Amino acid sequence: MCKNCYITTPIYYASGYVHVGNAYTTIAADTLARYKRLEGKETYYLTGMDEHGLKIQEAAEKQGKTPQQLVDDVAEHTLGLWKHLGVTNDGFIRTSDPRHMAKVSELFEKFLASDDIYLSEYTGDYCVACEAFFTKTQLGENNTCPDCGKPTRKVSEQSYFFRLKKYEKQLLDFIKANPDFIQPETRRNEVVSFIESGLEDLCVSRTSFSWGIPVTSNPKHVIYVWLDALFNYLTAINYDEHDDSLYQKYWANNKEIYQLVGKDILRFHAVYWPIFLMAAGIPINFKLYVHGWILMKDGKMSKSRGNVVYPYDVTSRYGIDALRYYLVKELPIGNDGLFTYERFFERYNSELANDLGNLVSRTISMINKYFGGKIEKGSVATPFDKDFEDIINDTIVVAKEEYSAFHLQNALTKVWQIVTRANKYIDETAPWVLAKDDAKQEELKSVMYHLAEALRIASTLLAPVLIETCPKVIEYLGIQEEMSVENLTFGYEYKNNVVSSLQPLFKRLDVQKELVEVNTPKVVPMDFKSNVAFDDFEKLDLRVGEIIECKKVEKSDKLLVSQVQIGTETRQIVSGIAETYKPEDLIGKKVLVVVNLNPAKIRGVESSGMLLCASDGKTLQLVEISNVNSGVKVK
Ligand code: MSP
């Protein structure tokens, strides 16, 4: 059996913060990675950020940042979030990483040399949000994007094309020869019919914006984000580097590669990606596991709908395990799931607080009460023991299969059978009755032993999801060994006593109270940045400036370029304020300017400074000042 395992998530767009919907892939992948480590596999779990493309460039312009500043901020936030959620990624690839960029450039040139890529003219309907062109037949009503529903734009440019068509048959043959390449089967069928309807060559370069990897031999073109981004799965593990041992171990010589993706990006991973690999002569060693979406009552979570829930909103009140459990339990393989607080509280109370939390506290307190904390097998069985034991052993086998098949919801449901059966077993055996009868002490021991075993085994199998709770339960049982599913079976010899007292694992929630809480607009704590020394503050040179000229930046809806008089000097400054201000309205305004920022090129236009604005992300206003001459210091 293969000892290595490579697990990847798609890399997240660095245009904004991750919400509970798109946190799903990462939490699901983390669950799988933790499970594989419990199996004793050497596991490399990769996630990262997709940092190029028009979407990022426009988001940066909107926020008055350079694209690099934006992606740095978002990457830092996202890494912090993954850490907070207990995500155990081994790698974090960013597509602005020079190593990644260099390798993608090389591959592009290689594809040009092999004539897999050629230069031609393209006119098409482009969705900026999805960074994809769509054919007329794919477009929704009024030329909207079939994936996200946003309006597409006509884009016409000289472009490079990838010969997808050339690989059509080879890909179909591959998918037919490897029936488990795309899972679940419904997604595989979707892909097969997409390919059978005929592939068109793919436009793989853009000239209408600059934020991307330039084509080395023709730098006015930048490489299409998907060609750039998909190769992250290889550049992150040092493909074609001097030391490529990670690549050799986790890709070239590995048959256990899980690539997890949401259904919205199936085509990119099931069609383009394997074709790119075929053209590059790299083995297609991975399997694609496609999951559905976490939906809100009113559809997909999106900022424009105003229905976004962020992971911190949930974890700050209910803990990390509750969120991880909910998301993993909610998504059936191949279908969508729902996030509502009503459903979340229901699951929290009935499954986590009642079923599991109560089972743990009842079991530990009974073992203390009846046997001073000691767990022993007991020489006389009750009539219910055999059946309970069989259920536990059967669950181990099935849950392991479900995890490995990435049927995470099924795995949880299966393990929960141990938990619910254990609660029923307590009612059946009525330990409090046995305790009163001296002749029944061996049966009572056996009951306690069975309950401890149920907890030990359920906790081990749930540990990939309930990352804080399960290690606690194992500790409560006095077990010091590392958890493992390798030889997991009923029959452990307990050496230590259980803990003498414990805090409840999940406190029951008052649903009505919590609903009021989550529906009341929050007094959000101010996310002030950390303190800086006065000397550092003094490094900033803030001045009063007067806008004397202003016009729109060509081909941009968001940017204005102003000439700003600052005392005796005139500075050219680009700002992302065109959605709020018309150029003519700004002439004569006195504003605050940071004058000693390093100059930057935004959309090819030199900018030497920054106009200060107040913005909450939705509205924006320039900070104006009157009765002070331009050039005066602000301190
Ligand atoms: N950048 C691309 C991936 C490039 S991979 C070479 C991308 N990024 S994303 O940020 O939009 O999405 C990241 C992951 O979140 C994807 O797997 C996507 O399917 C998933 N989800 C986004 N919204 C989701 C839900 N509401 N529910 C579940 N997963 C969803 O796509």
Side-chain angles (χ1 to χ4, degrees):
M1 197 171 52
C2 183
K3 283 304 275 178
N4 305 330
C5 179
Y6 184 36
I7 298 169
T8 68
T9 70
I11 45 175
Y12 285 75
Y13 285 126
S15 48
Y17 293 159
V18 170
H19 53 63
V20 293
N22 47 27
Y24 175 80
T25 321
T26 301
I27 289 177
D30 184 61
T31 301
L32 184 62
R34 284 171 178 266
Y35 173 74
K36 287 288 154 185
R37 293 190 196 107
L38 285 180
E39 262 189 354
K41 296 261 161 82
E42 276 192 59
T43 301
Y44 193 95
Y45 168 19
L46 174 72
T47 185
M49 303 299 298
D50 192 348
E51 301 191 328
H52 289 136
L54 188 53
K55 189 187 176 93
I56 312 285
Q57 182 169 312
E58 291 196 338
E61 281 167 10
K62 208 168 175 179
Q63 294 178 35
K65 293 180 181 173
T66 62
Q68 191 63 55
Q69 280 166 342
L70 174 73
V71 299
D72 287 347
D73 289 352
V74 176
E76 192 186 329
H77 175 91
T78 310
L79 257 177
L81 174 66
W82 295 152
K83 222 181 206 149
H84 168 74
L85 295 175
V87 172
T88 54
N89 56 304
D90 300 277
F92 188 80
I93 174 87
R94 298 179 53 188
T95 54
S96 66
D97 178 333
R99 251 183 355 99
H100 167 84
M101 290 174 66
K103 196 49 66 190
V104 172
S105 303
E106 271 174 42
L107 280 158
F108 196 96
E109 294 301 315
K110 195 170 151 186
F111 292 144
L112 271 173
S114 60
D115 195 37
D116 283 303
I117 289 181
Y118 61 94
L119 191 60
S120 185
E121 181 74 30
Y122 191 78
T123 304
D125 298 282
Y126 191 67
C127 172
V128 174
C130 299
E131 299 278 16
F133 276 106
F134 292 96
T135 58
K136 282 278 169 262
T137 50
Q138 289 172 323
L139 288 178
E141 238 176 78
N142 300 324
N143 290 347
T144 48
C145 168
D147 287 344
C148 73
K150 294 195 177 129
T152 55
R153 300 179 187 175
K154 271 258 173 293
V155 174
S156 179
E157 53 191 31
Q158 197 193 37
S159 299
Y160 287 97
F161 285 80
F162 196 103
R163 293 191 193 280
L164 285 194
K165 194 144 195 61
K166 169 176 154 193
Y167 291 94
E168 197 177 286
K169 177 160 184 325
Q170 203 177 326
L171 179 60
L172 265 181
D173 289 348
F174 177 82
I175 295 176
K176 286 183 179 158
N178 296 277
D180 56 354
F181 171 53
I182 302 164
Q183 298 179 45
E185 207 186 327
T186 45
R187 299 293 171 202
R188 175 180 176 271
N189 297 341
E190 226 174 83
V191 171
V192 169
S193 48
F194 176 77
I195 305 169
E196 281 173 344
S197 71
L199 294 182
E200 286 175 26
D201 287 352
L202 177 71
C203 177
V204 287
S205 73
R206 305 283 184 265
T207 50
S208 52
F209 61 89
S210 56
W211 181 243
I213 305 177
V215 173
T216 312
S217 53
N218 191 356
K220 71 173 195 280
H221 292 258
V222 293
I223 297 174
Y224 175 44
V225 273
W226 277 97
L227 180 63
D228 165 354
L230 284 162
F231 277 100
N232 88 85
Y233 303 127
L234 294 178
T235 57
I237 50 170
N238 302 342
Y239 161 71
D240 200 25
E241 296 284 346
H242 176 66
D243 174 3
D244 71 348
S245 47
L246 277 180
Y247 168 76
Q248 291 301 337
K249 177 169 174 182
Y250 288 107
W251 193 281
N253 300 300
N254 183 11
K255 289 276 175 238
E256 199 164 329
I257 304 176
Y258 291 81
Q259 299 220 260
L260 311 188
V261 295
K263 63 180 181 181
D264 47 325
I265 51 176
L266 172 60
R267 184 162 41 101
F268 304 95
H269 284 83
V271 179
Y272 304 167
W273 179 221
I275 288 182
F276 294 160
L277 291 172
M278 283 171 180
I282 300 168
I284 306 170
N285 281 350
F286 67 95
K287 296 205 179 3
L288 205 57
Y289 292 82
V290 188
H291 65 74
W293 281 340
I294 296 280
L295 299 173
M296 301 300 278
K297 268 188 223 144
D298 50 353
K300 200 165 181 236
M301 216 175 272
S302 81
K303 272 196 197 154
S304 48
R305 286 207 175 117
N307 63 0
V308 176
V309 177
Y310 291 102
Y312 284 117
D313 298 340
V314 181
T315 55
S316 58
R317 261 188 97 70
Y318 311 107
I320 292 158
D321 278 5
L323 177 66
R324 291 177 63 108
Y325 178 79
Y326 182 87
L327 292 179
V328 174
K329 189 69 188 283
E330 189 55 30
L331 228 59
I333 186 72
N335 283 323
D336 294 336
L338 205 61
F339 185 91
T340 68
Y341 273 112
E342 287 84 350
R343 218 170 150 84
F344 175 83
F345 296 145
E346 165 63 25
R347 278 205 192 291
Y348 185 103
N349 275 348
S350 75
E351 294 168 31
L352 295 177
N354 274 7
D355 293 352
L356 181 64
N358 280 349
L359 177 65
V360 173
S361 54
R362 283 165 94 190
T363 303
I364 299 287
S365 71
M366 285 193 290
I367 295 170
N368 275 312
K369 185 166 167 197
Y370 302 138
F371 298 108
K374 221 166 166 200
I375 308 168
E376 285 176 316
K377 279 190 173 154
S379 55
V380 183
T382 78
F384 308 98
D385 290 5
K386 172 80 175 61
D387 180 50
F388 190 22
E389 218 172 295
D390 288 347
I391 284 180
I392 293 175
N393 278 330
D394 167 66
T395 299
I396 297 171
V397 176
V398 178
K400 283 165 82 167
E401 285 165 6
E402 299 284 18
Y403 268 121
S404 283
F406 189 59
H407 296 166
L408 302 183
Q409 188 199 45
N410 292 0
L412 281 193
T413 306
K414 188 69 195 170
V415 182
W416 226 256
Q417 282 183 6
I418 299 184
V419 176
T420 42
R421 188 66 183 82
N423 281 314
K424 189 168 161 224
Y425 175 79
I426 296 179
D427 295 340
E428 288 166 344
T429 54
W432 48 92
V433 177
L434 298 177
K436 289 187 190 133
D437 186 344
D438 283 348
K440 298 278 183 190
Q441 289 310 293
E442 286 305 310
E443 272 133 297
L444 183 60
K445 257 187 209 164
S446 181
V447 171
M448 293 304 120
Y449 179 80
H450 277 73
L451 290 174
E453 276 299 83
L455 284 184
R456 178 181 73 89
I457 289 165
S459 299
T460 307
L461 291 169
L462 293 172
V465 181
L466 298 174
I467 60 172
E468 293 182 335
T469 308
C470 293
K472 272 190 213 159
V473 177
I474 295 293
E475 193 192 314
Y476 292 167
L477 290 168
I479 300 169
Q480 278 154 3
E481 286 99 319
E482 291 264 308
M483 280 186 263
S484 161
V485 298
E486 270 183 292
N487 297 309
L488 189 64
T489 176
F490 191 93
Y492 182 74
E493 296 284 345
Y494 288 83
K495 298 171 206 75
N496 304 311
N497 281 10
V498 300
V499 285
S500 50
S501 68
L502 50 86
Q503 297 288 324
L505 290 170
F506 299 95
K507 285 204 184 105
R508 246 192 104 71
L509 301 173
D510 176 339
V511 174
Q512 289 316 316
K513 198 173 131 226
E514 294 305 324
L515 281 174
V516 171
E517 183 66 38
V518 294
N519 290 319
T520 310
K522 306 242 170 353
V523 181
V524 183
M526 299 305 292
D527 58 343
F528 293 131
K529 292 182 182 164
S530 45
N531 289 353
V532 293
F534 185 67
D535 286 353
D536 287 330
F537 168 71
E538 281 226 303
K539 287 180 192 155
L540 275 185
D541 196 341
L542 299 171
R543 302 286 176 136
V544 175
E546 182 174 344
I547 302 180
I548 53 174
E549 273 178 54
C550 184
K551 60 180 185 187
K552 291 193 90 166
V553 170
E554 261 179 47
K555 289 194 198 158
S556 166
D557 301 335
K558 316 246 161 68
L559 295 178
L560 294 183
V561 53
S562 312
Q563 304 301 323
V564 186
Q565 186 74 48
I566 301 157
T568 54
E569 257 193 55
T570 307
R571 285 286 179 91
Q572 172 166 295
I573 298 177
V574 177
S575 323
I577 54 177
E579 286 178 334
T580 314
Y581 294 99
K582 292 200 192 91
E584 57 273 24
D585 296 341
L586 293 179
I587 312 293
K589 275 197 195 300
K590 282 195 181 149
V591 291
L592 300 190
V593 188
V594 188
V595 292
N596 63 336
L597 278 181
N598 286 335
K601 268 204 170 158
I602 306 182
R603 278 275 175 126
V605 182
E606 189 81 34
S607 181
S608 307
M610 188 169 94
L611 306 188
L612 291 186
C613 292
S615 172
D616 58 4
K618 289 189 205 118
T619 54
L620 170 147
Q621 202 174 350
L622 276 167
V623 182
E624 290 183 56
I625 190 161
S626 50
N627 301 331
V628 186
N629 290 335
S630 83
V632 167
K633 279 191 176 164
V634 179
K635 37 185 187 170

